[in-house]
């Protein structure tokens, strides 16, 4: 994954993106800064792997733009698409909260920009902000 932006304009843009998501919109400035400091960006072409089966879930992903597909493969190698997610959606929260490995493969379908927020920052902010904790539960509920 790409490193955090280095210019003030890039940092400001990423903070603005985070502040306007349903997951992070209720955070105050200090909490947004905490999340931002633990966020990595990825810009990926279509058909690029993002998460592999069994990979440690050390954070959650937010799709800024593009699409990803979440799939399982059976013993015969046949792909079963569980879900296709697009702009302004998240994935990996359940595995991250349960500290379990990812149970599916995630690949981009189209050119995409993804944010990955480390688990430690999410958990710190969840302890401080009930509205954020509630939105986390809502997102996990939608995923299941």
């Amino acid at each position: 994954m790409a490193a955090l932006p280095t210019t003030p304009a890039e940092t400001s843009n990423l903070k603005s993106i985070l502040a306007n998501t349903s997951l992070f919109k209720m955070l105050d400035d200090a909490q947004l800064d905490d999340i931002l400091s633990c966020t990595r960006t990825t810009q990926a072409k279509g058909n690029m792997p993002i998460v592999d089966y069994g990979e440690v879930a050390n954070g959650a992903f937010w799709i800024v733009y593009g699409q990803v597909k979440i799939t399982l493969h059976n013993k015969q190698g046949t792909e079963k698409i569980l879900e296709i997610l697009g702009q302004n959606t998240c994935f990996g929260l359940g595995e991250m909260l349960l500290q379990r490995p990812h149970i599916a493969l995630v690949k981009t379908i189209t050119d995409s920009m993804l944010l990955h927020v480390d688990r430690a920052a999410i958990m710190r902010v969840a302890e401080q902000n009930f509205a954020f904790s509630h939105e986390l539960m809502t997102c996990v509920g939608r995923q299941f």
Side-chain angles (χ1 to χ4, degrees):
M1 287 202 185
L4 272 175
T6 54
T7 68
E10 289 172 328
T11 300
S12 176
N13 186 41
L14 185 53
K15 187 173 181 178
S16 176
I17 289 169
L18 287 168
N20 287 299
T21 66
S22 61
L23 184 59
F24 300 112
K25 69 182 175 188
M26 75 291 301
L27 301 183
D28 65 29
D29 233 24
Q31 292 166 339
L32 270 173
D33 287 339
D34 189 7
I35 293 292
L36 181 61
S37 72
C38 297
T39 299
R40 295 185 318 257
T41 61
T42 298
Q43 291 185 330
K45 299 284 185 196
N47 201 37
M48 296 292 297
I50 301 299
V51 172
D52 200 3
Y53 172 79
E55 189 175 317
V56 174
N58 58 5
F61 292 87
W62 184 265
I63 304 168
V64 177
Y65 64 80
Q67 287 185 315
V68 301
K69 66 178 175 178
I70 302 174
T71 62
L72 292 174
H73 289 87
N74 64 20
K75 292 178 184 176
Q76 294 76 30
T78 304
E79 178 181 271
K80 175 171 174 62
I81 297 174
L82 299 177
E83 192 165 10
I84 294 178
L85 300 173
Q87 180 176 344
N88 296 325
T89 55
C90 56
F91 63 92
L93 283 171
E95 295 92 340
M96 178 206 70
L97 290 171
L98 294 170
Q99 294 184 305
R100 301 272 169 94
H102 288 280
I103 60 171
L105 303 170
V106 181
K107 282 187 172 184
T108 57
I109 296 173
T110 62
D111 291 356
S112 302
M113 180 179 177
L114 304 159
L115 305 178
H116 179 269
V117 182
D118 287 342
R119 181 183 192 282
I122 290 172
M123 299 311 287
R124 272 193 309 273
V125 172
E127 288 176 5
Q128 303 166 3
N129 188 317
F130 178 77
F132 178 67
S133 297
H134 183 264
E135 186 61 27
L136 277 176
M137 290 185 291
T138 301
C139 288
V140 170
R142 277 191 293 253
Q143 289 176 5
F144 290 110

